[in-house]
Amino acid sequence: MVAFGKKLKERQIQEWQGYYINYKLMKKKVRQYAQQIEVGTQDRRHVLKDFSRMLDNQIEKIVLFLLEQQGLLASRIAKLNEQQEALQQQPDISEISQLREAYREVGRDLLKLLFFIEINAIGLRKILKKFDKRFGYRFTDYYVKTRANHPYSQLQQVFKHVGLGAVVGAISRNLHELQEEHQGSYLSIYDQPALPFQEPVVDSMKAAVDRLTHSTNFLNFLAQHALIMQEELPTSEGPVDDQRYHFMSLLLNLVNTFLYMVNTYIIVPTADDYSMSLGAAATVCGIVIGSMAVAQVFSSVYFSAWSNKSYFKPLVFSSIVLFIGNVMYALAYDFNSIAILLIGRLFCGLGSARAVNRRYISDCVPLKMRMQASAGFVSASALGMACGPALAGLLQTNFKIYKLTFNQETLPGWVMSLAWLLYLVWLWISFREPCLETEESSAAQESTTEPVENDALEKGLKKPLLLNSEDKQETEDGDGEFDGSDGAPEESRGPATSIGSAYKLLTPSVKVQLLIYFMLKYAMEVLLSESSVVTTYYFGWSTSSVAIFLACLGLTVLPVNIVVGSYISNMFEDRQILLTSEIMVCIGILLSFHIISPYTVPQYVCSGLIMFVSAEVLEGVNLSLLSRVMSSRLSRGTYNGGLLSTEAGTLARVVADGTITLAGYLGESKLLNVTLLPSLVICVASIVATCFTYNSLY
């Protein structure tokens, strides 16, 4: 992994070399300041003043060059507009084509300017992080507050770039008009804003602007849940992406995600009845449901390793194992064996290919489509979570074929085994194994999860609360540069080689966020897994009623993400949403306790809805933050950040389901309160840890 300073130098446009941020010089100054303060030759106030002046000069250099280039682009567009006016009087197809190509050339030059700004924005944020980390100051807050809000702010030019937006608009409008005139239409982009404009250079410009502003919308917010790696610095789309991309293979990957989530939750409404029909207690449903998660703890590791070499073979193996597991789950009824039932669910867990699903999107989907594919991955998971219980509610029948029983307990197994068999046939026919990269290139590009510090300057500077904790103590590289990602020399910054080494790379804030992830998954699993037992005991609900309740909870996932991604995250900082969501989860847990008799349906439904929706909001914001603070060394290899987060969530489900079964020994009357108590303790601990981490960082 190359240090940021070297990357910055490699990505620079040669003719603009003198106008980039002098990142190396400022890092050396930070080191000199530290030495001078240590020996007592410099006081801190002078250091702050001198560093502020240096940053002001660097930003002024960038902004003046930016304004100069904007003026040149505007002049070129003005001349092209004059040519376009003349062509309206005497249209000529060849001249129109030349004019369109000229506009495209301006667009390509604008792209260079946008990349120039983005690289400098990242450099500014990184040097501010280094300064804060080295001296323990809140200098970033001071600098941004004083510079960004000043009427003559030059910092605003770096992350607001209103003028560049106008240039993008001018190029887009004129290219669209030339195209419409050529086709005999007189509509402008303002008449049909919803229709897509097929112009690659315009799409590239819009994508670059979105990256620079780090605009928050539903699709962006949803895509971050998948924890898919993005490049640290802006790059042009490479040919390898298009060669490896295959739409049908991506679709099969998403279908695998959907079916697995359906498979996970389709048994929840009937697991207690199935356990009792086999002679076990109703609360054994916790082990039945959780056994799938137990196996997933191990399957996540070997699927993550397998995806280094192939995508097709792991998916085939996953389908076969899930087919066998579901058949065993269904046959357990006729064999009257709880052991076969549990082994079947273990087999289902051993077929969890979510690591492969993530990896395929990261490695084989072009950058321009990766956000949509990531959002599709999350949406498929959410829909599967809702469809599983809903499908179970529809399977209310009872008949026999030969000696095989088909009822509400066994039909989920038979239906899912048929689904996986059909999927296996489709997979075998339609999936195309992408060509594997060479060892050298894959070492540089292999990634499964977390975006590493590519958010815009405005996000990075105004939300430094968790971002600043990513860097460990800085050491010097061989060339005298600091490597701030994880404090290791450049040559030792390879991917983690074990779970233990990966855990050692976690900073305090990342550990807190993994604790939050554990907490919300634990609370959600307790709510979902014990719902059938609790509602039957207190309210006498049927399987259909439980299925409707669980399906309604699952259907809230996408609407909640729309509201949070489109509105709430634009109004509040992520850290505010994070803490508020934790508190709301805690309130939902408190309201769920059976303290006042009688325990009513409105109390259970409302408290469950508050808990579930708050946990969904919390999961989105938490993963969004986690994707930006994870060490770059955890973005590659088998033991990556995605695996760690998956293991944290899976372990939470295992512990929650185990708690349900153990609490069952105390009787169904005490099940609700006993299982909610650990949820409350973990939730309060996560809130305290969040507040403590915030205060210790600042």
Side-chain angles (χ1 to χ4, degrees):
M1 188 70 170
V2 182
F4 176 77
K6 293 182 179 179
K7 280 188 175 182
L8 177 61
K9 188 174 182 179
E10 292 170 0
R11 302 287 176 88
Q12 287 180 1
I13 300 172
Q14 291 303 314
E15 57 267 29
W16 296 353
Q17 196 167 9
Y19 301 100
Y20 286 88
I21 180 175
N22 198 332
Y23 186 75
K24 186 173 182 178
L25 172 64
M26 288 197 290
K27 286 206 298 182
K28 288 182 177 178
K29 288 294 290 183
V30 170
R31 186 166 63 252
Q32 290 174 7
Y33 291 147
Q35 293 171 349
Q36 290 169 355
I37 290 177
E38 186 176 348
V39 299
T41 59
Q42 194 71 271
D43 62 72
R44 299 194 173 199
R45 294 187 64 180
H46 180 81
V47 166
L48 291 174
K49 182 178 180 181
D50 191 54
F51 190 67
S52 298
R53 185 186 298 113
M54 181 185 300
L55 273 176
D56 291 339
N57 292 336
Q58 291 288 322
I59 292 172
E60 185 173 275
K61 175 184 69 174
I62 295 167
V63 168
L64 292 178
F65 178 75
L66 171 62
L67 294 174
E68 178 186 348
Q69 293 300 312
Q70 281 182 231
L72 293 175
L73 292 174
S75 298
R76 290 169 62 185
I77 293 174
K79 292 179 181 178
L80 294 176
N81 287 346
E82 293 175 2
Q83 296 178 29
Q84 186 173 348
E85 289 290 336
L87 280 175
Q88 289 181 350
Q89 306 299 325
Q90 295 180 338
D92 183 278
I93 295 178
S94 62
E95 291 187 12
I96 289 176
S97 298
Q98 292 176 6
L99 188 58
R100 289 175 66 185
E101 186 56 37
Y103 275 118
R104 292 190 187 106
E105 187 61 34
V106 176
R108 285 188 281 269
D109 289 342
L110 177 59
L111 271 175
K112 293 180 182 178
L113 193 58
L114 288 168
F115 292 152
F116 167 82
I117 301 170
E118 186 171 0
I119 290 175
N120 282 294
I122 294 171
L124 283 169
R125 179 167 61 81
K126 275 183 164 288
I127 198 63
L128 284 165
K129 284 176 60 179
K130 287 183 181 296
F131 190 89
D132 280 353
K133 180 68 176 179
R134 195 65 181 255
F135 297 101
Y137 295 153
R138 296 182 62 178
F139 177 75
T140 298
D141 285 351
Y142 155 76
Y143 190 82
V144 172
K145 185 181 296 183
T146 54
R147 267 62 174 178
N149 297 324
H150 195 276
Y152 304 131
S153 170
Q154 292 178 325
L155 190 62
Q156 287 277 10
Q157 291 288 334
V158 178
F159 57 78
K160 289 298 183 183
H161 60 283
V162 177
L164 288 176
V167 177
V168 173
I171 296 172
S172 303
R173 183 183 66 83
N174 286 292
L175 276 173
H176 183 271
E177 288 185 359
L178 286 171
Q179 176 178 303
E180 294 298 326
E181 287 175 12
H182 179 65
Q183 296 175 353
S185 173
Y186 298 96
L187 296 175
S188 73
I189 58 175
Y190 306 110
D191 297 318
Q192 296 175 303
L195 295 180
F197 175 36
Q198 302 296 329
E199 186 62 58
V201 69
V202 173
D203 293 338
S204 298
M205 287 189 299
K206 290 179 179 178
V209 169
D210 283 342
R211 278 201 315 273
L212 190 56
T213 57
H214 199 68
S215 58
T216 303
N217 55 45
F218 165 57
L219 199 60
N220 258 320
F221 183 78
L222 196 64
Q224 289 173 330
H225 295 23
L227 295 174
I228 302 298
M229 177 72 177
Q230 298 177 10
E231 287 292 331
E232 181 179 24
L233 291 174
T235 58
S236 59
E237 186 73 29
V240 176
D241 277 330
D242 293 328
Q243 292 172 7
R244 291 163 65 83
Y245 174 66
H246 182 230
F247 173 75
M248 187 57 69
S249 300
L250 173 62
L251 179 61
L252 283 162
N253 204 55
L254 297 178
V255 171
N256 183 281
T257 301
F258 171 77
L259 288 178
Y260 185 78
M261 293 303 291
V262 172
N263 210 145
T264 301
Y265 290 98
I266 193 172
I267 72 160
V268 172
T270 58
D272 57 335
D273 292 336
Y274 204 167
S275 300
M276 288 190 293
S277 67
L278 297 180
T283 51
V284 173
C285 69
I287 290 183
V288 174
I289 297 171
S291 56
M292 192 170 179
V294 171
Q296 190 179 345
V297 171
F298 304 98
S299 65
S300 297
V301 177
Y302 65 72
F303 271 114
S304 181
W306 202 350
S307 62
N308 290 326
K309 300 178 180 179
S310 174
Y311 304 99
F312 176 67
K313 292 178 182 178
L315 291 177
V316 170
F317 177 78
S318 167
S319 304
I320 294 173
V321 171
L322 280 157
F323 170 76
I324 295 172
N326 282 289
V327 169
M328 293 181 69
Y329 181 86
L331 289 175
Y333 187 90
D334 292 307
F335 282 95
N336 194 30
S337 172
I338 192 72
I340 294 177
L341 181 74
L342 294 174
I343 293 172
R345 287 296 286 179
L346 284 171
F347 265 75
C348 291
L350 292 174
S352 172
R354 289 176 68 81
V356 181
N357 302 147
R358 279 197 183 98
R359 185 66 166 272
Y360 184 87
I361 294 173
S362 175
D363 289 353
C364 303
V365 176
L367 288 171
K368 60 187 177 184
M369 298 179 58
R370 200 166 295 165
M371 182 179 68
Q372 291 89 335
S374 301
F377 172 83
V378 178
S379 300
S381 299
L383 290 174
M385 181 181 180
C387 288
L391 184 58
L394 298 175
L395 302 177
Q396 303 297 304
T397 186
N398 192 345
F399 61 93
K400 275 197 171 189
I401 299 178
Y402 297 106
K403 294 183 178 181
L404 299 179
T405 304
F406 296 86
N407 55 25
Q408 66 175 11
E409 284 91 14
T410 63
L411 275 172
W414 292 121
V415 169
M416 291 311 304
S417 61
L418 178 61
W420 285 113
L421 183 61
L422 294 175
Y423 174 79
L424 179 60
V425 175
W426 183 18
L427 180 74
W428 195 274
I429 295 172
S430 303
F431 191 88
R432 188 176 74 190
E433 181 79 273
C435 57
L436 294 176
E437 298 178 349
T438 62
E439 184 177 351
E440 291 80 5
S441 61
S442 63
Q445 295 183 10
E446 185 182 32
S447 58
T448 54
T449 54
E450 294 70 28
V452 183
E453 301 183 331
N454 67 331
D455 46 323
L457 180 63
E458 183 176 13
K459 286 275 185 179
L461 293 180
K462 291 191 174 183
K463 297 184 180 179
L465 179 61
L466 292 173
L467 293 177
N468 276 14
S469 65
E470 180 186 340
D471 291 345
K472 294 186 183 289
Q473 187 174 356
E474 298 166 341
T475 60
E476 288 190 46
D477 293 335
D479 60 356
E481 290 192 351
F482 290 117
D483 182 9
S485 295
D486 53 35
E490 178 185 335
E491 60 271 13
S492 66
R493 296 185 63 230
T497 56
S498 66
I499 290 287
S501 62
Y503 182 79
K504 291 178 181 178
L505 294 174
L506 301 181
T507 59
S509 65
V510 174
K511 291 178 181 177
V512 169
Q513 287 179 272
L514 288 177
L515 173 63
I516 293 172
Y517 193 61
F518 180 93
M519 178 273 293
L520 66 91
K521 286 297 183 183
Y522 183 96
M524 291 171 67
E525 188 71 9
V526 166
L527 172 66
L528 298 176
S529 295
E530 72 178 14
S531 58
S532 182
V533 179
V534 170
T535 54
T536 300
Y537 176 80
Y538 286 105
F539 318 126
W541 280 9
S542 64
T543 300
S544 298
S545 300
V546 178
I548 292 172
F549 171 68
L550 295 177
C552 290
L553 286 181
L555 288 174
T556 63
V557 173
L558 292 180
V560 166
N561 279 286
I562 290 175
V563 173
V564 176
S566 300
Y567 303 104
I568 295 179
S569 57
N570 287 320
M571 299 166 60
F572 302 98
E573 295 183 4
D574 284 353
R575 55 185 177 180
Q576 294 173 321
I577 304 174
L578 186 80
L579 193 56
T580 302
S581 301
E582 287 184 84
I583 294 172
M584 290 304 298
V585 170
C586 188
I587 292 173
I589 294 172
L590 287 171
L591 292 176
S592 298
F593 276 93
H594 179 204
I595 300 174
I596 302 175
S597 294
Y599 194 62
T600 62
V601 172
Q603 179 184 351
Y604 178 77
V605 172
C606 292
S607 60
L609 190 62
I610 292 172
M611 188 194 311
F612 188 85
V613 170
S614 301
E616 279 298 322
V617 175
L618 179 59
E619 181 175 2
V621 178
N622 187 57
L623 290 180
S624 176
L625 288 169
L626 187 61
S627 68
R628 299 202 295 267
V629 302
M630 194 74 78
S631 167
S632 59
R633 291 180 63 187
L634 291 175
S635 66
R636 312 179 306 282
T638 300
Y639 303 96
N640 52 71
L643 177 64
L644 291 180
S645 59
T646 299
E647 295 290 79
T650 305
L651 285 172
R653 292 174 53 206
V654 171
V655 175
D657 292 324
T659 304
I660 292 172
T661 299
L662 291 175
Y665 288 104
L666 301 176
E668 292 185 15
S669 61
K670 298 181 180 179
L671 175 67
L672 181 66
N673 288 348
V674 171
T675 53
L676 285 175
L677 191 59
S679 300
L680 180 62
V681 172
I682 300 172
C683 186
V684 171
S686 70
I687 294 173
V688 172
T690 302
C691 296
F692 177 77
T693 304
Y694 289 171
N695 292 332
S696 66
L697 287 175
Y698 290 91

